[in-house]
Amino acid sequence: QVQLVESGGDSVQPGGSLKLSCVVSEYTPTTNCMAWFRQVPGKEREGVASLYKAAPWTFYPNYADSVKGRFFISQDNTKGTVYLQMNSLKPEDTAMYYCAAKSTNGRQLCTPGERSFDYWGQGTQVTVSP
């Protein structure tokens, strides 16, 4: 059973940076799609970034337009951890951030727009305010 544990959420001022971490237990070669989502109360969960692992050292990131150029997703295979580096944070980035994982047959199925993920973490809160 794959388990995901997020950390790194905090309160920051606009323009600040945070780095979220997602530790993946029992990472398997078939869990080749990782993603970060976020959700605020009363709104649908929104895909932020995804990372498709095509080969041991070949990754394809994908980002929602709202975070492109500010957020960066990465993976450290040696630590079984996925990261979300968030820069130039805005108040509208305030949300609970979730890590998700699944196995997929193609890169086109590993995008922030995809919502059918098999495994989810419990979330970590990010608050951006003056």
Side-chain angles (χ1 to χ4, degrees):
Q1 178 73 15
V2 175
Q3 293 185 329
L4 309 176
V5 179
E6 304 97 332
S7 63
D10 205 344
S11 295
V12 296
Q13 293 186 341
S17 296
L18 279 177
K19 187 173 185 178
L20 305 184
S21 299
C22 172
V23 177
V24 184
S25 69
E26 300 187 36
Y27 180 85
T28 69
T30 59
T31 309
N32 56 1
C33 177
M34 302 296 301
W36 286 95
F37 288 78
R38 65 186 181 187
Q39 189 171 24
V40 297
K43 292 189 176 182
E44 289 189 354
R45 192 169 291 187
E46 174 193 16
V48 173
S50 62
L51 190 66
Y52 177 68
K53 183 179 180 181
W57 302 107
T58 303
F59 298 90
Y60 293 98
N62 204 326
Y63 301 95
D65 289 342
S66 58
V67 304
K68 202 168 290 184
R70 300 188 298 123
F71 290 13
F72 301 94
I73 187 171
S74 62
Q75 182 168 318
D76 185 335
N77 288 339
T78 63
K79 298 181 179 180
T81 304
V82 178
Y83 302 99
L84 184 67
Q85 177 67 46
M86 305 186 296
N87 302 323
S88 302
L89 283 162
K90 305 175 181 180
E92 51 264 43
D93 294 320
T94 295
M96 184 71 79
Y97 282 73
Y98 298 90
C99 179
K102 68 175 179 180
S103 300
T104 182
N105 292 326
R107 177 181 172 186
Q108 68 278 9
L109 298 176
C110 185
T111 69
E114 291 286 327
R115 303 204 177 169
S116 58
F117 281 75
D118 300 320
Y119 307 102
W120 293 86
Q122 294 300 308
T124 185
Q125 178 67 37
V126 173
T127 303
V128 185
S129 63

Tab-separated table of all heavy atoms in Angstrom, residues 38-62:
chain	number	residue	atom	x	y	z
A	38	ARG	N	-4.280	21.353	-4.907
A	38	ARG	CA	-4.607	22.245	-3.805
A	38	ARG	C	-6.111	22.466	-3.763
A	38	ARG	O	-6.798	22.338	-4.772
A	38	ARG	CB	-3.873	23.579	-3.920
A	38	ARG	CG	-4.259	24.437	-5.127
A	38	ARG	CD	-3.347	25.646	-5.203
A	38	ARG	NE	-3.694	26.512	-6.321
A	38	ARG	CZ	-2.960	27.574	-6.684
A	38	ARG	NH1	-1.854	27.884	-6.026
A	38	ARG	NH2	-3.356	28.310	-7.711
A	39	GLN	N	-6.578	22.809	-2.573
A	39	GLN	CA	-8.015	23.007	-2.401
A	39	GLN	C	-8.279	24.015	-1.303
A	39	GLN	O	-7.626	23.991	-0.250
A	39	GLN	CB	-8.700	21.686	-2.064
A	39	GLN	CG	-10.215	21.754	-2.080
A	39	GLN	CD	-10.847	20.388	-1.955
A	39	GLN	OE1	-10.258	19.448	-1.439
A	39	GLN	NE2	-12.081	20.264	-2.444
A	40	VAL	N	-9.212	24.897	-1.561
A	40	VAL	CA	-9.695	25.823	-0.546
A	40	VAL	C	-11.131	25.448	-0.235
A	40	VAL	O	-11.836	24.891	-1.091
A	40	VAL	CB	-9.600	27.287	-1.006
A	40	VAL	CG1	-8.147	27.669	-1.247
A	40	VAL	CG2	-10.421	27.521	-2.270
A	41	PRO	N	-11.594	25.733	0.964
A	41	PRO	CA	-12.959	25.356	1.345
A	41	PRO	C	-13.982	25.914	0.368
A	41	PRO	O	-13.906	27.087	-0.016
A	41	PRO	CB	-13.107	25.964	2.736
A	41	PRO	CG	-11.732	26.016	3.274
A	41	PRO	CD	-10.856	26.329	2.089
A	42	GLY	N	-14.900	25.074	-0.050
A	42	GLY	CA	-15.966	25.507	-0.931
A	42	GLY	C	-15.622	25.465	-2.400
A	42	GLY	O	-16.465	25.793	-3.245
A	43	LYS	N	-14.393	25.084	-2.730
A	43	LYS	CA	-13.986	25.019	-4.131
A	43	LYS	C	-13.485	23.623	-4.478
A	43	LYS	O	-13.099	22.846	-3.600
A	43	LYS	CB	-12.901	26.052	-4.421
A	43	LYS	CG	-13.381	27.490	-4.348
A	43	LYS	CD	-12.316	28.444	-4.855
A	43	LYS	CE	-12.811	29.869	-4.868
A	43	LYS	NZ	-11.781	30.816	-5.405
A	44	GLU	N	-13.474	23.338	-5.763
A	44	GLU	CA	-12.981	22.043	-6.212
A	44	GLU	C	-11.458	21.965	-6.062
A	44	GLU	O	-10.763	22.982	-6.098
A	44	GLU	CB	-13.356	21.818	-7.675
A	44	GLU	CG	-14.826	21.577	-7.907
A	44	GLU	CD	-15.105	21.150	-9.326
A	44	GLU	OE1	-14.187	21.153	-10.156
A	44	GLU	OE2	-16.269	20.807	-9.612
A	45	ARG	N	-11.009	20.728	-5.913
A	45	ARG	CA	-9.579	20.518	-5.852
A	45	ARG	C	-8.968	20.856	-7.212
A	45	ARG	O	-9.475	20.465	-8.258
A	45	ARG	CB	-9.301	19.069	-5.465
A	45	ARG	CG	-7.875	18.779	-5.091
A	45	ARG	CD	-7.741	17.413	-4.470
A	45	ARG	NE	-8.372	17.368	-3.151
A	45	ARG	CZ	-8.280	16.334	-2.322
A	45	ARG	NH1	-7.605	15.251	-2.686
A	45	ARG	NH2	-8.873	16.353	-1.148
A	46	GLU	N	-7.854	21.573	-7.173
A	46	GLU	CA	-7.211	22.064	-8.391
A	46	GLU	C	-5.842	21.425	-8.569
A	46	GLU	O	-5.029	21.439	-7.630
A	46	GLU	CB	-7.062	23.591	-8.308
A	46	GLU	CG	-6.266	24.206	-9.447
A	46	GLU	CD	-5.877	25.651	-9.178
A	46	GLU	OE1	-5.943	26.085	-8.013
A	46	GLU	OE2	-5.504	26.342	-10.139
A	47	GLY	N	-5.586	20.902	-9.727
A	47	GLY	CA	-4.268	20.371	-10.028
A	47	GLY	C	-3.277	21.498	-10.207
A	47	GLY	O	-3.569	22.472	-10.904
A	48	VAL	N	-2.112	21.373	-9.592
A	48	VAL	CA	-1.097	22.421	-9.625
A	48	VAL	C	0.076	22.009	-10.513
A	48	VAL	O	0.510	22.771	-11.370
A	48	VAL	CB	-0.612	22.731	-8.198
A	48	VAL	CG1	0.563	23.685	-8.234
A	48	VAL	CG2	-1.734	23.300	-7.364
A	49	ALA	N	0.583	20.814	-10.273
A	49	ALA	CA	1.755	20.352	-11.024
A	49	ALA	C	1.759	18.831	-11.049
A	49	ALA	O	1.253	18.183	-10.129
A	49	ALA	CB	3.041	20.869	-10.392
A	50	SER	N	2.366	18.277	-12.088
A	50	SER	CA	2.496	16.831	-12.195
A	50	SER	C	3.875	16.495	-12.728
A	50	SER	O	4.542	17.334	-13.351
A	50	SER	CB	1.420	16.256	-13.122
A	50	SER	OG	1.562	16.774	-14.424
A	51	LEU	N	4.282	15.250	-12.466
A	51	LEU	CA	5.608	14.814	-12.898
A	51	LEU	C	5.508	13.372	-13.374
A	51	LEU	O	5.192	12.475	-12.590
A	51	LEU	CB	6.603	14.925	-11.746
A	51	LEU	CG	8.073	14.737	-12.098
A	51	LEU	CD1	8.561	15.865	-13.003
A	51	LEU	CD2	8.925	14.674	-10.836
A	52	TYR	N	5.766	13.178	-14.647
A	52	TYR	CA	5.698	11.848	-15.237
A	52	TYR	C	7.106	11.276	-15.361
A	52	TYR	O	7.987	11.924	-15.922
A	52	TYR	CB	5.040	11.903	-16.608
A	52	TYR	CG	4.998	10.575	-17.313
A	52	TYR	CD1	4.201	9.542	-16.828
A	52	TYR	CD2	5.757	10.335	-18.460
A	52	TYR	CE1	4.165	8.310	-17.462
A	52	TYR	CE2	5.721	9.114	-19.096
A	52	TYR	CZ	4.920	8.102	-18.595
A	52	TYR	OH	4.879	6.878	-19.206
A	53	LYS	N	7.287	10.092	-14.841
A	53	LYS	CA	8.583	9.429	-14.895
A	53	LYS	C	8.582	8.454	-16.066
A	53	LYS	O	7.988	7.378	-15.995
A	53	LYS	CB	8.861	8.695	-13.586
A	53	LYS	CG	10.221	8.028	-13.532
A	53	LYS	CD	10.413	7.334	-12.187
A	53	LYS	CE	11.763	6.658	-12.087
A	53	LYS	NZ	11.931	5.971	-10.789
A	54	ALA	N	9.258	8.837	-17.147
A	54	ALA	CA	9.301	8.000	-18.337
A	54	ALA	C	10.405	6.950	-18.259
A	54	ALA	O	10.300	5.886	-18.883
A	54	ALA	CB	9.502	8.874	-19.572
A	55	ALA	N	11.449	7.240	-17.512
A	55	ALA	CA	12.611	6.358	-17.373
A	55	ALA	C	13.269	6.727	-16.053
A	55	ALA	O	12.927	7.753	-15.460
A	55	ALA	CB	13.564	6.534	-18.548
A	56	PRO	N	14.192	5.908	-15.557
A	56	PRO	CA	14.782	6.180	-14.239
A	56	PRO	C	15.254	7.613	-14.033
A	56	PRO	O	15.138	8.139	-12.920
A	56	PRO	CB	15.936	5.180	-14.177
A	56	PRO	CG	15.453	4.028	-14.989
A	56	PRO	CD	14.682	4.634	-16.124
A	57	TRP	N	15.763	8.265	-15.090
A	57	TRP	CA	16.258	9.634	-14.912
A	57	TRP	C	15.654	10.572	-15.937
A	57	TRP	O	16.246	11.582	-16.291
A	57	TRP	CB	17.785	9.648	-14.989
A	57	TRP	CG	18.409	8.749	-13.974
A	57	TRP	CD1	19.005	7.555	-14.206
A	57	TRP	CD2	18.428	8.938	-12.558
A	57	TRP	NE1	19.421	6.996	-13.014
A	57	TRP	CE2	19.078	7.814	-11.996
A	57	TRP	CE3	17.959	9.941	-11.712
A	57	TRP	CZ2	19.270	7.682	-10.629
A	57	TRP	CZ3	18.168	9.808	-10.342
A	57	TRP	CH2	18.807	8.690	-9.814
A	58	THR	N	14.461	10.234	-16.408
A	58	THR	CA	13.767	11.077	-17.380
A	58	THR	C	12.394	11.432	-16.845
A	58	THR	O	11.530	10.566	-16.691
A	58	THR	CB	13.631	10.344	-18.732
A	58	THR	OG1	14.918	9.966	-19.206
A	58	THR	CG2	12.961	11.263	-19.754
A	59	PHE	N	12.207	12.715	-16.573
A	59	PHE	CA	10.966	13.196	-15.984
A	59	PHE	C	10.362	14.290	-16.853
A	59	PHE	O	11.078	15.082	-17.459
A	59	PHE	CB	11.205	13.758	-14.576
A	59	PHE	CG	11.724	12.739	-13.606
A	59	PHE	CD1	13.089	12.533	-13.446
A	59	PHE	CD2	10.847	11.976	-12.850
A	59	PHE	CE1	13.575	11.596	-12.546
A	59	PHE	CE2	11.316	11.043	-11.949
A	59	PHE	CZ	12.678	10.847	-11.804
A	60	TYR	N	9.054	14.322	-16.896
A	60	TYR	CA	8.341	15.348	-17.645
A	60	TYR	C	7.402	16.087	-16.697
A	60	TYR	O	6.392	15.537	-16.280
A	60	TYR	CB	7.551	14.725	-18.783
A	60	TYR	CG	8.415	14.121	-19.855
A	60	TYR	CD1	8.686	12.750	-19.874
A	60	TYR	CD2	8.975	14.910	-20.853
A	60	TYR	CE1	9.483	12.189	-20.851
A	60	TYR	CE2	9.769	14.353	-21.842
A	60	TYR	CZ	10.025	12.994	-21.835
A	60	TYR	OH	10.816	12.449	-22.807
A	61	PRO	N	7.735	17.345	-16.361
A	61	PRO	CA	6.840	18.120	-15.509
A	61	PRO	C	5.746	18.799	-16.322
A	61	PRO	O	5.899	19.035	-17.522
A	61	PRO	CB	7.776	19.161	-14.886
A	61	PRO	CG	8.822	19.377	-15.951
A	61	PRO	CD	8.977	18.056	-16.660
A	62	ASN	N	4.692	19.121	-15.635
A	62	ASN	CA	3.576	19.819	-16.263
A	62	ASN	C	2.945	20.699	-15.197
A	62	ASN	O	2.840	20.281	-14.039
A	62	ASN	CB	2.555	18.812	-16.795
A	62	ASN	CG	1.722	19.369	-17.923
A	62	ASN	OD1	1.411	20.549	-17.942
A	62	ASN	ND2	1.374	18.527	-18.873
